[in-house]
Amino acid sequence: MRAGAMPAVKRRAPAFFFSKTNSKNDMDSKDVTYKVSLTKTVRIISTVCSIAVGTAIFTCLYFPKPADKTLNEWLYAGFLIALAVGATYYALLMWPRRITVYADRLVLKKGIGKKTLLFSDIESIERRDDLAFDMRLIGSGGMLGYTGWFTNSDFGRYMSYVGDHKNTFLIVTRKRKYVMSCDRPDELVEEVKRRIEAQNKA
C-alpha cells in the first residue's frame, strides 16, 4: 500500500429483512384460481344436447317447407325454438368454468357472468363428495354441468354449480347454501378457511 493511500473498504450487500407479518399479508392478498373440469359423462351429455338443439331448430324451420307452413305450425315451431334456445342459454348462464379466491371473496366465473361470495357472508365451508345422487328440483342434469336447485336429506335445498361430483364442496352463507366443484377442492377449502380466519383476526 502506498503511503497516504486510503485503505480499501469492502462493500457489503445490503441486508433485507422480511417480517412474518408482511409475508403472510402478501400470501393472503395473492389471487388463487382453480379450474372447474367437466367429467367425460357431462361432456358427452353436453355434445348430445347441442346436436339435439341444432337438429330441433333446423327441423322446425324447414320441415315442412316454410312456404307450406300454416300459422299454427309456425307458432308451434316458434315455441319449440324458443324452448331450445332458452334451455341452451340457461346451461351457458350456469356453466361453472373456474373459481378464483381473492383476499376477501370467492368468485365463480360462469359461461355467462359470475357469482361472488363475500367471506363476510360465509358461515362455513366443507369438503363433500357424497352428493352425486341428490334430487334435482329444477336445472340442468348434465348439460355443461349439474346446475340449478337440488335438495339433500342432510342439509336441504342448495344451488349447484358442479362439473364433477367427486370434487364437490359445500358453502353455507347467511342466505343460501351452495355446492360447487373444482380441481383440487381440498386445497380450495383450506385456502378459503385460512383467509376467512385471517380476515376475522384483522
Side-chain angles (χ1 to χ4, degrees):
M1 180 184 298
R2 291 180 301 175
M6 295 293 292
V9 178
K10 294 183 179 179
R11 294 186 179 182
R12 295 183 179 181
F16 295 95
F17 299 94
F18 297 94
S19 68
K20 293 183 178 180
T21 303
N22 290 338
S23 178
K24 184 178 180 182
N25 289 338
D26 291 341
M27 186 167 57
D28 288 339
S29 62
K30 185 179 179 181
D31 306 338
V32 185
T33 298
Y34 302 85
K35 181 183 177 182
V36 180
S37 297
L38 303 179
T39 63
K40 183 178 180 180
T41 300
V42 170
R43 294 197 300 270
I44 292 173
I45 292 174
S46 302
T47 301
V48 171
C49 288
S50 299
I51 294 173
V53 167
T55 302
I57 292 175
F58 181 83
T59 302
C60 289
L61 290 175
Y62 297 103
F63 293 95
K65 295 180 179 180
D68 298 333
K69 285 186 186 296
T70 65
L71 177 60
N72 287 337
E73 287 175 334
W74 273 115
L75 291 175
Y76 182 69
F79 172 76
L80 291 180
I81 291 173
L83 194 64
V85 172
T88 303
Y89 177 79
Y90 173 83
L92 288 170
L93 181 68
M94 300 292 287
W95 174 25
R97 302 191 61 189
R98 62 180 178 272
I99 299 173
T100 301
V101 179
Y102 295 93
D104 61 345
R105 66 196 184 280
L106 177 151
V107 177
L108 169 67
K109 180 68 173 66
K110 301 183 295 179
I112 300 175
K114 62 183 178 180
K115 180 67 183 178
T116 300
L117 299 179
L118 298 176
F119 289 163
S120 58
D121 292 332
I122 294 178
E123 296 181 347
S124 65
I125 178 171
E126 63 178 291
R127 181 79 162 85
R128 297 292 294 258
D129 56 3
D130 57 345
L131 310 176
F133 300 103
D134 286 356
M135 182 184 299
R136 175 164 49 104
L137 301 177
I138 184 171
S140 172
M143 185 174 181
L144 298 180
Y146 303 96
T147 59
W149 285 105
F150 287 69
T151 186
N152 178 278
S153 58
D154 183 17
F155 52 85
R157 190 176 64 171
Y158 64 87
M159 177 62 71
S160 175
Y161 298 98
V162 172
D164 186 347
H165 277 117
K166 294 180 181 179
N167 295 326
T168 52
F169 53 92
L170 168 67
I171 299 177
V172 178
T173 69
R174 296 175 182 177
K175 297 181 179 180
R176 188 173 294 175
K177 301 180 183 72
Y178 298 89
V179 170
M180 301 180 183
S181 73
C182 70
D183 300 352
R184 314 193 318 273
D186 297 285
E187 179 184 321
L188 181 144
V189 169
E190 292 305 314
E191 183 69 20
V192 171
K193 285 182 178 179
R194 185 182 64 78
R195 296 195 181 206
I196 290 177
E197 183 178 358
Q199 188 179 69
N200 291 338
K201 289 181 178 180

